Amino acid sequence: MTETAILGGGCFWCVEAVLVSINGVLSVQSGYAGGKTENPTYKEVCSSLTGHAEVVEIIFDPAVISYAQLLRIFFTLHDPTTLNRQGNDRGTQYRSVIFWTSEEQRETAEAVRQEIEQSGLWNAPLVTQIEPLTTFWAAEAEHDDYFRRNPDNGYCQVVVAPKVVKMRQIFAGFQKRSDQS
């Protein structure tokens, strides 16, 4: 039995690159959610006119990793205190958002957000939105597994790679065996 999580924490290349190596995560697909345009393109989403966020669809095995633990990793891998921004990436498409697919996911998301808020992990209030998923639109194929396929890309070297290294250190116990160093 699998479960699906839809998370937006800035650029989907970063989020995918971290979560794909987590034990129990079966697949990660970049895409868009939360907007009004049907089947949007990357260019349209980057205009901030469609209302979509860059997100990832995570298919995972809840017997191996819980939804709550995935959310704890999510809240650590991006800055959930900056509205519509992650580092130099700015726009509503980079907002911090959790799209829930069941009432249980909504309750868990709210509880984990409160847990993180109270933990002192971040020095400012969390701005992460928790919204029902209406539609997930898969991104263009060129965004799939972007970090692995483009390690020499400047953005990947400067932004994605350090985040992946940091997260592998913080969540070493959650790494798939082939990803452990």
Side-chain angles (χ1 to χ4, degrees):
M1 188 168 156
T2 63
E3 195 172 330
T4 302
I6 309 290
L7 307 174
C11 175
F12 46 38
W13 299 340
C14 292
V15 179
E16 177 198 44
V18 169
L19 295 178
V20 73
S21 68
I22 300 296
N23 194 26
V25 170
L26 306 174
S27 68
V28 182
Q29 169 73 56
S30 293
Y32 316 108
K36 59 185 184 283
T37 303
E38 290 194 23
N39 201 23
T41 65
Y42 182 71
K43 185 176 180 178
E44 290 171 332
V45 171
C46 287
S47 75
S48 293
L49 298 176
T50 69
H52 290 88
E54 287 191 18
V55 298
V56 293
E57 176 189 62
I58 305 126
I59 307 298
F60 67 99
D61 181 347
V64 178
I65 188 162
S66 69
Y67 182 65
Q69 188 56 49
L70 274 178
L71 293 180
R72 289 181 189 104
I73 294 169
F74 166 74
F75 276 114
T76 306
L77 77 88
H78 78 294
D79 183 348
T81 69
T82 55
L83 186 62
N84 301 328
R85 190 180 108 220
Q86 288 299 307
N88 290 328
D89 294 332
R90 297 172 190 268
T92 57
Q93 71 272 25
Y94 298 117
R95 68 186 178 270
S96 177
V97 61
I98 299 167
F99 289 100
W100 51 269
T101 61
S102 68
E103 188 61 26
E104 182 181 351
Q105 279 193 353
R106 182 192 64 77
E107 291 170 3
T108 300
E110 289 177 357
V112 172
R113 181 177 61 187
Q114 183 176 12
E115 171 192 318
I116 297 297
E117 184 94 56
Q118 294 174 349
S119 75
L121 178 64
W122 298 99
N123 295 347
L126 303 184
V127 296
T128 304
Q129 300 167 347
I130 299 174
E131 302 177 12
L133 177 68
T134 52
T135 305
F136 169 81
W137 301 99
E140 298 84 347
E142 66 212 45
H143 300 291
D144 293 338
D145 209 13
Y146 191 85
F147 175 65
R148 185 190 60 76
R149 292 184 304 100
N150 297 280
D152 296 326
N153 172 284
Y155 186 89
C156 289
Q157 289 182 345
V158 173
V159 178
V160 185
K163 189 172 283 202
V164 169
V165 169
K166 175 185 171 188
M167 295 306 293
R168 284 185 177 168
Q169 291 169 344
I170 293 171
F171 293 101
F174 290 94
Q175 297 299 305
K176 292 178 182 171
R177 289 198 191 278
S178 62
D179 292 332
Q180 291 177 339
S181 311

